PDB file of all heavy atoms in Angstrom:
ATOM      1  N   THR A  47      95.863  93.152 103.132  1.00  0.00           N
ATOM      2  CA  THR A  47      97.013  93.865 102.580  1.00  0.00           C
ATOM      3  C   THR A  47      97.541  93.110 101.368  1.00  0.00           C
ATOM      4  O   THR A  47      97.774  91.906 101.429  1.00  0.00           O
ATOM      5  CB  THR A  47      98.125  93.997 103.635  1.00  0.00           C
ATOM      6  OG1 THR A  47      97.597  94.665 104.776  1.00  0.00           O
ATOM      7  CG2 THR A  47      99.305  94.785 103.100  1.00  0.00           C
ATOM      8  N   LEU A  48      97.701  93.826 100.268  1.00  0.00           N
ATOM      9  CA  LEU A  48      98.309  93.307  99.055  1.00  0.00           C
ATOM     10  C   LEU A  48      99.671  93.972  98.935  1.00  0.00           C
ATOM     11  O   LEU A  48      99.766  95.202  98.935  1.00  0.00           O
ATOM     12  CB  LEU A  48      97.433  93.639  97.842  1.00  0.00           C
ATOM     13  CG  LEU A  48      97.965  93.263  96.471  1.00  0.00           C
ATOM     14  CD1 LEU A  48      98.140  91.758  96.334  1.00  0.00           C
ATOM     15  CD2 LEU A  48      97.041  93.800  95.388  1.00  0.00           C
ATOM     16  N   GLU A  49     100.732  93.160  98.859  1.00  0.00           N
ATOM     17  CA  GLU A  49     102.096  93.686  98.823  1.00  0.00           C
ATOM     18  C   GLU A  49     102.792  93.234  97.540  1.00  0.00           C
ATOM     19  O   GLU A  49     102.583  92.118  97.082  1.00  0.00           O
ATOM     20  CB  GLU A  49     102.901  93.164 100.015  1.00  0.00           C
ATOM     21  CG  GLU A  49     102.291  93.485 101.364  1.00  0.00           C
ATOM     22  CD  GLU A  49     102.951  92.706 102.481  1.00  0.00           C
ATOM     23  OE1 GLU A  49     103.086  91.466 102.351  1.00  0.00           O
ATOM     24  OE2 GLU A  49     103.325  93.337 103.478  1.00  0.00           O
ATOM     25  N   LEU A  50     103.632  94.103  97.001  1.00  0.00           N
ATOM     26  CA  LEU A  50     104.395  93.786  95.798  1.00  0.00           C
ATOM     27  C   LEU A  50     105.798  94.366  95.938  1.00  0.00           C
ATOM     28  O   LEU A  50     105.956  95.533  96.286  1.00  0.00           O
ATOM     29  CB  LEU A  50     103.722  94.387  94.561  1.00  0.00           C
ATOM     30  CG  LEU A  50     104.425  94.129  93.233  1.00  0.00           C
ATOM     31  CD1 LEU A  50     104.340  92.653  92.846  1.00  0.00           C
ATOM     32  CD2 LEU A  50     103.835  95.002  92.136  1.00  0.00           C
ATOM     33  N   GLU A  51     106.791  93.514  95.674  1.00  0.00           N
ATOM     34  CA  GLU A  51     108.186  93.966  95.718  1.00  0.00           C
ATOM     35  C   GLU A  51     108.918  93.410  94.508  1.00  0.00           C
ATOM     36  O   GLU A  51     109.003  92.198  94.320  1.00  0.00           O
ATOM     37  CB  GLU A  51     108.877  93.487  96.993  1.00  0.00           C
ATOM     38  CG  GLU A  51     110.328  93.892  97.064  1.00  0.00           C
ATOM     39  CD  GLU A  51     111.056  93.351  98.290  1.00  0.00           C
ATOM     40  OE1 GLU A  51     110.444  92.638  99.099  1.00  0.00           O
ATOM     41  OE2 GLU A  51     112.248  93.641  98.417  1.00  0.00           O
ATOM     42  N   LEU A  52     109.444  94.302  93.678  1.00  0.00           N
ATOM     43  CA  LEU A  52     110.263  93.886  92.538  1.00  0.00           C
ATOM     44  C   LEU A  52     111.680  93.610  93.007  1.00  0.00           C
ATOM     45  O   LEU A  52     112.166  94.241  93.941  1.00  0.00           O
ATOM     46  CB  LEU A  52     110.283  94.967  91.460  1.00  0.00           C
ATOM     47  CG  LEU A  52     109.094  94.982  90.493  1.00  0.00           C
ATOM     48  CD1 LEU A  52     107.819  95.380  91.180  1.00  0.00           C
ATOM     49  CD2 LEU A  52     109.391  95.877  89.328  1.00  0.00           C
ATOM     50  N   ASP A  53     112.323  92.662  92.362  1.00  0.00           N
ATOM     51  CA  ASP A  53     113.706  92.315  92.686  1.00  0.00           C
ATOM     52  C   ASP A  53     114.608  93.481  92.304  1.00  0.00           C
ATOM     53  O   ASP A  53     114.874  93.730  91.130  1.00  0.00           O
ATOM     54  CB  ASP A  53     114.116  91.058  91.929  1.00  0.00           C
ATOM     55  CG  ASP A  53     115.533  90.608  92.219  1.00  0.00           C
ATOM     56  OD1 ASP A  53     116.263  91.320  92.946  1.00  0.00           O
ATOM     57  OD2 ASP A  53     115.922  89.555  91.711  1.00  0.00           O
ATOM     58  N   TRP A  54     115.067  94.200  93.286  1.00  0.00           N
ATOM     59  CA  TRP A  54     115.849  95.416  93.033  1.00  0.00           C
ATOM     60  C   TRP A  54     117.176  95.137  92.333  1.00  0.00           C
ATOM     61  O   TRP A  54     117.745  96.027  91.724  1.00  0.00           O
ATOM     62  CB  TRP A  54     116.075  96.190  94.327  1.00  0.00           C
ATOM     63  CG  TRP A  54     116.875  95.462  95.349  1.00  0.00           C
ATOM     64  CD1 TRP A  54     116.394  94.671  96.338  1.00  0.00           C
ATOM     65  CD2 TRP A  54     118.288  95.454  95.485  1.00  0.00           C
ATOM     66  NE1 TRP A  54     117.416  94.152  97.086  1.00  0.00           N
ATOM     67  CE2 TRP A  54     118.609  94.618  96.575  1.00  0.00           C
ATOM     68  CE3 TRP A  54     119.334  96.052  94.801  1.00  0.00           C
ATOM     69  CZ2 TRP A  54     119.915  94.381  96.984  1.00  0.00           C
ATOM     70  CZ3 TRP A  54     120.631  95.806  95.212  1.00  0.00           C
ATOM     71  CH2 TRP A  54     120.904  94.982  96.294  1.00  0.00           C
ATOM     72  N   THR A  55     117.666  93.891  92.383  1.00  0.00           N
ATOM     73  CA  THR A  55     118.936  93.597  91.703  1.00  0.00           C
ATOM     74  C   THR A  55     118.772  93.625  90.187  1.00  0.00           C
ATOM     75  O   THR A  55     119.758  93.662  89.472  1.00  0.00           O
ATOM     76  CB  THR A  55     119.516  92.236  92.133  1.00  0.00           C
ATOM     77  OG1 THR A  55     118.627  91.190  91.729  1.00  0.00           O
ATOM     78  CG2 THR A  55     119.734  92.180  93.632  1.00  0.00           C
ATOM     79  N   GLN A  56     117.526  93.616  89.699  1.00  0.00           N
ATOM     80  CA  GLN A  56     117.268  93.651  88.261  1.00  0.00           C
ATOM     81  C   GLN A  56     116.859  95.052  87.787  1.00  0.00           C
ATOM     82  O   GLN A  56     116.509  95.232  86.639  1.00  0.00           O
ATOM     83  CB  GLN A  56     116.163  92.662  87.905  1.00  0.00           C
ATOM     84  CG  GLN A  56     116.542  91.213  88.152  1.00  0.00           C
ATOM     85  CD  GLN A  56     115.411  90.280  87.760  1.00  0.00           C
ATOM     86  OE1 GLN A  56     114.332  90.327  88.331  1.00  0.00           O
ATOM     87  NE2 GLN A  56     115.671  89.455  86.768  1.00  0.00           N
ATOM     88  N   LEU A  57     116.877  96.035  88.691  1.00  0.00           N
ATOM     89  CA  LEU A  57     116.398  97.383  88.368  1.00  0.00           C
ATOM     90  C   LEU A  57     117.537  98.390  88.363  1.00  0.00           C
ATOM     91  O   LEU A  57     118.460  98.297  89.165  1.00  0.00           O
ATOM     92  CB  LEU A  57     115.340  97.826  89.381  1.00  0.00           C
ATOM     93  CG  LEU A  57     114.124  96.916  89.538  1.00  0.00           C
ATOM     94  CD1 LEU A  57     113.239  97.413  90.661  1.00  0.00           C
ATOM     95  CD2 LEU A  57     113.350  96.820  88.235  1.00  0.00           C
ATOM     96  N   ASP A  58     117.452  99.364  87.474  1.00  0.00           N
ATOM     97  CA  ASP A  58     118.437 100.437  87.428  1.00  0.00           C
ATOM     98  C   ASP A  58     117.874 101.761  87.939  1.00  0.00           C
ATOM     99  O   ASP A  58     118.559 102.516  88.613  1.00  0.00           O
ATOM    100  CB  ASP A  58     118.935 100.644  85.994  1.00  0.00           C
ATOM    101  CG  ASP A  58     119.700  99.441  85.473  1.00  0.00           C
ATOM    102  OD1 ASP A  58     120.483  98.851  86.239  1.00  0.00           O
ATOM    103  OD2 ASP A  58     119.497  99.092  84.295  1.00  0.00           O
ATOM    104  N   ALA A  59     116.630 102.071  87.597  1.00  0.00           N
ATOM    105  CA  ALA A  59     116.068 103.391  87.873  1.00  0.00           C
ATOM    106  C   ALA A  59     115.249 103.465  89.158  1.00  0.00           C
ATOM    107  O   ALA A  59     114.881 104.551  89.585  1.00  0.00           O
ATOM    108  CB  ALA A  59     115.191 103.829  86.700  1.00  0.00           C
ATOM    109  N   LEU A  60     114.978 102.346  89.778  1.00  0.00           N
ATOM    110  CA  LEU A  60     114.075 102.326  90.924  1.00  0.00           C
ATOM    111  C   LEU A  60     114.816 101.840  92.165  1.00  0.00           C
ATOM    112  O   LEU A  60     115.459 100.798  92.133  1.00  0.00           O
ATOM    113  CB  LEU A  60     112.901 101.387  90.616  1.00  0.00           C
ATOM    114  CG  LEU A  60     111.686 101.439  91.501  1.00  0.00           C
ATOM    115  CD1 LEU A  60     111.055 102.830  91.486  1.00  0.00           C
ATOM    116  CD2 LEU A  60     110.661 100.413  91.025  1.00  0.00           C
ATOM    117  N   ALA A  61     114.706 102.581  93.238  1.00  0.00           N
ATOM    118  CA  ALA A  61     115.341 102.191  94.502  1.00  0.00           C
ATOM    119  C   ALA A  61     114.584 101.005  95.124  1.00  0.00           C
ATOM    120  O   ALA A  61     113.384 100.832  94.879  1.00  0.00           O
ATOM    121  CB  ALA A  61     115.329 103.368  95.472  1.00  0.00           C
ATOM    122  N   PRO A  62     115.267 100.188  95.932  1.00  0.00           N
ATOM    123  CA  PRO A  62     114.594  99.072  96.590  1.00  0.00           C
ATOM    124  C   PRO A  62     113.417  99.569  97.430  1.00  0.00           C
ATOM    125  O   PRO A  62     113.557 100.511  98.209  1.00  0.00           O
ATOM    126  CB  PRO A  62     115.673  98.462  97.484  1.00  0.00           C
ATOM    127  CG  PRO A  62     116.957  98.876  96.855  1.00  0.00           C
ATOM    128  CD  PRO A  62     116.703 100.223  96.255  1.00  0.00           C
ATOM    129  N   HIS A  63     112.252  98.953  97.223  1.00  0.00           N
ATOM    130  CA  HIS A  63     111.066  99.313  97.988  1.00  0.00           C
ATOM    131  C   HIS A  63     110.011  98.238  97.788  1.00  0.00           C
ATOM    132  O   HIS A  63     110.148  97.365  96.937  1.00  0.00           O
ATOM    133  CB  HIS A  63     110.514 100.672  97.539  1.00  0.00           C
ATOM    134  CG  HIS A  63     109.813 100.619  96.219  1.00  0.00           C
ATOM    135  ND1 HIS A  63     110.492 100.476  95.032  1.00  0.00           N
ATOM    136  CD2 HIS A  63     108.497 100.660  95.920  1.00  0.00           C
ATOM    137  CE1 HIS A  63     109.611 100.439  94.047  1.00  0.00           C
ATOM    138  NE2 HIS A  63     108.396 100.543  94.555  1.00  0.00           N
ATOM    139  N   ALA A  64     108.961  98.303  98.577  1.00  0.00           N
ATOM    140  CA  ALA A  64     107.801  97.431  98.418  1.00  0.00           C
ATOM    141  C   ALA A  64     106.564  98.318  98.397  1.00  0.00           C
ATOM    142  O   ALA A  64     106.477  99.295  99.141  1.00  0.00           O
ATOM    143  CB  ALA A  64     107.715  96.423  99.561  1.00  0.00           C
ATOM    144  N   ASP A  65     105.618  97.993  97.539  1.00  0.00           N
ATOM    145  CA  ASP A  65     104.356  98.724  97.471  1.00  0.00           C
ATOM    146  C   ASP A  65     103.296  97.940  98.224  1.00  0.00           C
ATOM    147  O   ASP A  65     103.249  96.706  98.149  1.00  0.00           O
ATOM    148  CB  ASP A  65     103.923  98.913  96.017  1.00  0.00           C
ATOM    149  CG  ASP A  65     104.865  99.828  95.259  1.00  0.00           C
ATOM    150  OD1 ASP A  65     105.077 100.955  95.737  1.00  0.00           O
ATOM    151  OD2 ASP A  65     105.384  99.411  94.214  1.00  0.00           O
ATOM    152  N   THR A  66     102.451  98.655  98.943  1.00  0.00           N
ATOM    153  CA  THR A  66     101.417  98.025  99.760  1.00  0.00           C
ATOM    154  C   THR A  66     100.076  98.674  99.465  1.00  0.00           C
ATOM    155  O   THR A  66      99.978  99.901  99.387  1.00  0.00           O
ATOM    156  CB  THR A  66     101.734  98.186 101.255  1.00  0.00           C
ATOM    157  OG1 THR A  66     103.010  97.598 101.513  1.00  0.00           O
ATOM    158  CG2 THR A  66     100.705  97.506 102.127  1.00  0.00           C
ATOM    159  N   LEU A  67      99.066  97.853  99.304  1.00  0.00           N
ATOM    160  CA  LEU A  67      97.699  98.311  99.095  1.00  0.00           C
ATOM    161  C   LEU A  67      96.855  97.721 100.213  1.00  0.00           C
ATOM    162  O   LEU A  67      96.836  96.500 100.403  1.00  0.00           O
ATOM    163  CB  LEU A  67      97.205  97.823  97.726  1.00  0.00           C
ATOM    164  CG  LEU A  67      95.800  98.178  97.292  1.00  0.00           C
ATOM    165  CD1 LEU A  67      95.656  99.695  97.152  1.00  0.00           C
ATOM    166  CD2 LEU A  67      95.482  97.504  95.976  1.00  0.00           C
ATOM    167  N   THR A  68      96.177  98.577 100.977  1.00  0.00           N
ATOM    168  CA  THR A  68      95.330  98.126 102.076  1.00  0.00           C
ATOM    169  C   THR A  68      93.875  98.166 101.617  1.00  0.00           C
ATOM    170  O   THR A  68      93.404  99.194 101.125  1.00  0.00           O
ATOM    171  CB  THR A  68      95.518  99.020 103.308  1.00  0.00           C
ATOM    172  OG1 THR A  68      96.898  98.999 103.672  1.00  0.00           O
ATOM    173  CG2 THR A  68      94.704  98.517 104.481  1.00  0.00           C
ATOM    174  N   LEU A  69      93.189  97.031 101.755  1.00  0.00           N
ATOM    175  CA  LEU A  69      91.831  96.884 101.241  1.00  0.00           C
ATOM    176  C   LEU A  69      90.839  96.509 102.338  1.00  0.00           C
ATOM    177  O   LEU A  69      91.181  95.767 103.262  1.00  0.00           O
ATOM    178  CB  LEU A  69      91.805  95.782 100.180  1.00  0.00           C
ATOM    179  CG  LEU A  69      92.755  95.934  99.002  1.00  0.00           C
ATOM    180  CD1 LEU A  69      92.882  94.614  98.266  1.00  0.00           C
ATOM    181  CD2 LEU A  69      92.267  97.025  98.081  1.00  0.00           C
ATOM    182  N   SER A  70      89.615  96.962 102.184  1.00  0.00           N
ATOM    183  CA  SER A  70      88.520  96.479 103.020  1.00  0.00           C
ATOM    184  C   SER A  70      88.070  95.135 102.457  1.00  0.00           C
ATOM    185  O   SER A  70      88.417  94.791 101.312  1.00  0.00           O
ATOM    186  CB  SER A  70      87.351  97.475 102.973  1.00  0.00           C
ATOM    187  OG  SER A  70      86.759  97.465 101.674  1.00  0.00           O
ATOM    188  N   PRO A  71      87.285  94.356 103.199  1.00  0.00           N
ATOM    189  CA  PRO A  71      86.782  93.104 102.628  1.00  0.00           C
ATOM    190  C   PRO A  71      86.010  93.321 101.326  1.00  0.00           C
ATOM    191  O   PRO A  71      86.158  92.552 100.373  1.00  0.00           O
ATOM    192  CB  PRO A  71      85.878  92.553 103.738  1.00  0.00           C
ATOM    193  CG  PRO A  71      86.482  93.084 104.992  1.00  0.00           C
ATOM    194  CD  PRO A  71      86.948  94.469 104.626  1.00  0.00           C
ATOM    195  N   GLU A  72      85.213  94.366 101.261  1.00  0.00           N
ATOM    196  CA  GLU A  72      84.455  94.659 100.043  1.00  0.00           C
ATOM    197  C   GLU A  72      85.387  94.961  98.868  1.00  0.00           C
ATOM    198  O   GLU A  72      85.185  94.459  97.754  1.00  0.00           O
ATOM    199  CB  GLU A  72      83.520  95.846 100.279  1.00  0.00           C
ATOM    200  CG  GLU A  72      82.698  96.220  99.063  1.00  0.00           C
ATOM    201  CD  GLU A  72      81.809  97.431  99.314  1.00  0.00           C
ATOM    202  OE1 GLU A  72      81.576  97.795 100.476  1.00  0.00           O
ATOM    203  OE2 GLU A  72      81.368  98.015  98.317  1.00  0.00           O
ATOM    204  N   GLU A  73      86.416  95.752  99.111  1.00  0.00           N
ATOM    205  CA  GLU A  73      87.377  96.077  98.051  1.00  0.00           C
ATOM    206  C   GLU A  73      88.142  94.839  97.602  1.00  0.00           C
ATOM    207  O   GLU A  73      88.382  94.639  96.408  1.00  0.00           O
ATOM    208  CB  GLU A  73      88.354  97.151  98.531  1.00  0.00           C
ATOM    209  CG  GLU A  73      87.708  98.501  98.743  1.00  0.00           C
ATOM    210  CD  GLU A  73      88.582  99.468  99.512  1.00  0.00           C
ATOM    211  OE1 GLU A  73      89.411  99.026 100.341  1.00  0.00           O
ATOM    212  OE2 GLU A  73      88.428 100.681  99.297  1.00  0.00           O
ATOM    213  N   ALA A  74      88.520  93.990  98.558  1.00  0.00           N
ATOM    214  CA  ALA A  74      89.240  92.759  98.216  1.00  0.00           C
ATOM    215  C   ALA A  74      88.372  91.847  97.360  1.00  0.00           C
ATOM    216  O   ALA A  74      88.851  91.246  96.394  1.00  0.00           O
ATOM    217  CB  ALA A  74      89.685  92.042  99.485  1.00  0.00           C
ATOM    218  N   ARG A  75      87.086  91.745  97.691  1.00  0.00           N
ATOM    219  CA  ARG A  75      86.181  90.915  96.890  1.00  0.00           C
ATOM    220  C   ARG A  75      85.995  91.480  95.491  1.00  0.00           C
ATOM    221  O   ARG A  75      85.920  90.739  94.510  1.00  0.00           O
ATOM    222  CB  ARG A  75      84.838  90.767  97.602  1.00  0.00           C
ATOM    223  CG  ARG A  75      84.896  89.836  98.781  1.00  0.00           C
ATOM    224  CD  ARG A  75      83.511  89.564  99.361  1.00  0.00           C
ATOM    225  NE  ARG A  75      83.648  88.722 100.532  1.00  0.00           N
ATOM    226  CZ  ARG A  75      83.717  89.177 101.788  1.00  0.00           C
ATOM    227  NH1 ARG A  75      83.624  90.485 102.026  1.00  0.00           N
ATOM    228  NH2 ARG A  75      83.846  88.341 102.791  1.00  0.00           N
ATOM    229  N   LYS A  76      85.911  92.798  95.383  1.00  0.00           N
ATOM    230  CA  LYS A  76      85.771  93.426  94.071  1.00  0.00           C
ATOM    231  C   LYS A  76      87.023  93.169  93.225  1.00  0.00           C
ATOM    232  O   LYS A  76      86.928  92.838  92.041  1.00  0.00           O
ATOM    233  CB  LYS A  76      85.535  94.925  94.225  1.00  0.00           C
ATOM    234  CG  LYS A  76      85.286  95.620  92.922  1.00  0.00           C
ATOM    235  CD  LYS A  76      84.866  97.057  93.109  1.00  0.00           C
ATOM    236  CE  LYS A  76      84.608  97.665  91.737  1.00  0.00           C
ATOM    237  NZ  LYS A  76      83.934  98.910  91.783  1.00  0.00           N
ATOM    238  N   LEU A  77      88.196  93.303  93.820  1.00  0.00           N
ATOM    239  CA  LEU A  77      89.440  93.015  93.122  1.00  0.00           C
ATOM    240  C   LEU A  77      89.496  91.549  92.707  1.00  0.00           C
ATOM    241  O   LEU A  77      89.855  91.230  91.564  1.00  0.00           O
ATOM    242  CB  LEU A  77      90.638  93.364  94.015  1.00  0.00           C
ATOM    243  CG  LEU A  77      92.018  93.107  93.440  1.00  0.00           C
ATOM    244  CD1 LEU A  77      92.251  93.914  92.173  1.00  0.00           C
ATOM    245  CD2 LEU A  77      93.083  93.429  94.474  1.00  0.00           C
ATOM    246  N   ALA A  78      89.121  90.650  93.607  1.00  0.00           N
ATOM    247  CA  ALA A  78      89.131  89.216  93.307  1.00  0.00           C
ATOM    248  C   ALA A  78      88.170  88.890  92.158  1.00  0.00           C
ATOM    249  O   ALA A  78      88.506  88.112  91.260  1.00  0.00           O
ATOM    250  CB  ALA A  78      88.773  88.413  94.550  1.00  0.00           C
TER     251      ALA A  78
END
Side-chain angles (χ1 to χ4, degrees):
T47 303
L48 176 63
E49 303 168 310
L50 180 69
E51 178 183 1
L52 277 68
D53 181 355
W54 63 268
T55 64
Q56 295 181 297
L57 304 175
D58 295 320
L60 194 60
H63 74 287
D65 293 305
T66 302
L67 180 63
T68 302
L69 304 165
S70 69
E72 180 182 343
E73 292 167 331
R75 286 187 183 95
K76 184 172 181 167
L77 179 60

